PDB file of all heavy atoms in Angstrom:
ATOM      1  N   VAL A  64       2.942  -9.651  -4.910  1.00  0.00           N
ATOM      2  CA  VAL A  64       2.512  -8.607  -3.972  1.00  0.00           C
ATOM      3  C   VAL A  64       3.456  -7.407  -4.072  1.00  0.00           C
ATOM      4  O   VAL A  64       4.673  -7.560  -4.011  1.00  0.00           O
ATOM      5  CB  VAL A  64       2.510  -9.136  -2.512  1.00  0.00           C
ATOM      6  CG1 VAL A  64       2.170  -8.010  -1.536  1.00  0.00           C
ATOM      7  CG2 VAL A  64       1.524 -10.302  -2.362  1.00  0.00           C
ATOM      8  N   VAL A  65       2.878  -6.234  -4.242  1.00  0.00           N
ATOM      9  CA  VAL A  65       3.644  -4.989  -4.178  1.00  0.00           C
ATOM     10  C   VAL A  65       3.092  -4.185  -3.005  1.00  0.00           C
ATOM     11  O   VAL A  65       1.900  -3.904  -2.952  1.00  0.00           O
ATOM     12  CB  VAL A  65       3.497  -4.151  -5.466  1.00  0.00           C
ATOM     13  CG1 VAL A  65       4.274  -2.848  -5.338  1.00  0.00           C
ATOM     14  CG2 VAL A  65       3.979  -4.935  -6.681  1.00  0.00           C
ATOM     15  N   SER A  66       3.965  -3.842  -2.057  1.00  0.00           N
ATOM     16  CA  SER A  66       3.515  -3.050  -0.916  1.00  0.00           C
ATOM     17  C   SER A  66       4.178  -1.676  -0.968  1.00  0.00           C
ATOM     18  O   SER A  66       5.206  -1.483  -1.625  1.00  0.00           O
ATOM     19  CB  SER A  66       3.817  -3.773   0.398  1.00  0.00           C
ATOM     20  OG  SER A  66       4.822  -3.121   1.123  1.00  0.00           O
ATOM     21  N   SER A  67       3.584  -0.727  -0.257  1.00  0.00           N
ATOM     22  CA  SER A  67       4.151   0.625  -0.242  1.00  0.00           C
ATOM     23  C   SER A  67       5.524   0.631   0.420  1.00  0.00           C
ATOM     24  O   SER A  67       6.304   1.571   0.216  1.00  0.00           O
ATOM     25  CB  SER A  67       3.204   1.595   0.462  1.00  0.00           C
ATOM     26  OG  SER A  67       3.066   1.260   1.824  1.00  0.00           O
ATOM     27  N   ALA A  68       5.833  -0.417   1.186  1.00  0.00           N
ATOM     28  CA  ALA A  68       7.175  -0.521   1.771  1.00  0.00           C
ATOM     29  C   ALA A  68       8.220  -0.696   0.666  1.00  0.00           C
ATOM     30  O   ALA A  68       9.315  -0.126   0.729  1.00  0.00           O
ATOM     31  CB  ALA A  68       7.239  -1.693   2.747  1.00  0.00           C
ATOM     32  N   THR A  69       7.873  -1.475  -0.349  1.00  0.00           N
ATOM     33  CA  THR A  69       8.775  -1.678  -1.481  1.00  0.00           C
ATOM     34  C   THR A  69       8.997  -0.358  -2.219  1.00  0.00           C
ATOM     35  O   THR A  69      10.134   0.007  -2.549  1.00  0.00           O
ATOM     36  CB  THR A  69       8.166  -2.697  -2.473  1.00  0.00           C
ATOM     37  OG1 THR A  69       7.663  -3.807  -1.738  1.00  0.00           O
ATOM     38  CG2 THR A  69       9.174  -3.148  -3.494  1.00  0.00           C
ATOM     39  N   ALA A  70       7.902   0.344  -2.465  1.00  0.00           N
ATOM     40  CA  ALA A  70       7.996   1.610  -3.201  1.00  0.00           C
ATOM     41  C   ALA A  70       8.797   2.646  -2.405  1.00  0.00           C
ATOM     42  O   ALA A  70       9.574   3.412  -2.978  1.00  0.00           O
ATOM     43  CB  ALA A  70       6.592   2.127  -3.504  1.00  0.00           C
ATOM     44  N   ALA A  71       8.633   2.645  -1.080  1.00  0.00           N
ATOM     45  CA  ALA A  71       9.389   3.587  -0.243  1.00  0.00           C
ATOM     46  C   ALA A  71      10.879   3.249  -0.266  1.00  0.00           C
ATOM     47  O   ALA A  71      11.735   4.137  -0.345  1.00  0.00           O
ATOM     48  CB  ALA A  71       8.860   3.564   1.186  1.00  0.00           C
ATOM     49  N   ALA A  72      11.191   1.947  -0.207  1.00  0.00           N
ATOM     50  CA  ALA A  72      12.590   1.528  -0.215  1.00  0.00           C
ATOM     51  C   ALA A  72      13.263   1.890  -1.535  1.00  0.00           C
ATOM     52  O   ALA A  72      14.474   2.147  -1.573  1.00  0.00           O
ATOM     53  CB  ALA A  72      12.694   0.024   0.047  1.00  0.00           C
ATOM     54  N   ASP A  73      12.485   1.945  -2.604  1.00  0.00           N
ATOM     55  CA  ASP A  73      13.045   2.328  -3.901  1.00  0.00           C
ATOM     56  C   ASP A  73      13.535   3.780  -3.905  1.00  0.00           C
ATOM     57  O   ASP A  73      14.289   4.173  -4.796  1.00  0.00           O
ATOM     58  CB  ASP A  73      12.000   2.141  -5.009  1.00  0.00           C
ATOM     59  CG  ASP A  73      11.773   0.671  -5.342  1.00  0.00           C
ATOM     60  OD1 ASP A  73      12.629  -0.161  -4.973  1.00  0.00           O
ATOM     61  OD2 ASP A  73      10.745   0.346  -5.965  1.00  0.00           O
ATOM     62  N   LEU A  74      13.078   4.568  -2.916  1.00  0.00           N
ATOM     63  CA  LEU A  74      13.496   5.976  -2.829  1.00  0.00           C
ATOM     64  C   LEU A  74      14.762   6.134  -1.988  1.00  0.00           C
ATOM     65  O   LEU A  74      15.212   7.246  -1.727  1.00  0.00           O
ATOM     66  CB  LEU A  74      12.362   6.818  -2.238  1.00  0.00           C
ATOM     67  CG  LEU A  74      11.079   6.847  -3.080  1.00  0.00           C
ATOM     68  CD1 LEU A  74       9.961   7.570  -2.345  1.00  0.00           C
ATOM     69  CD2 LEU A  74      11.356   7.523  -4.425  1.00  0.00           C
ATOM     70  N   VAL A  75      15.310   5.008  -1.538  1.00  0.00           N
ATOM     71  CA  VAL A  75      16.531   4.991  -0.733  1.00  0.00           C
ATOM     72  C   VAL A  75      17.651   4.437  -1.605  1.00  0.00           C
ATOM     73  O   VAL A  75      17.420   3.524  -2.402  1.00  0.00           O
ATOM     74  CB  VAL A  75      16.320   4.099   0.511  1.00  0.00           C
ATOM     75  CG1 VAL A  75      17.617   3.864   1.245  1.00  0.00           C
ATOM     76  CG2 VAL A  75      15.269   4.724   1.430  1.00  0.00           C
TER      77      VAL A  75
END
Side-chain angles (χ1 to χ4, degrees):
V64 175
V65 178
S66 111
S67 65
T69 314
D73 286 343
L74 297 173
V75 170

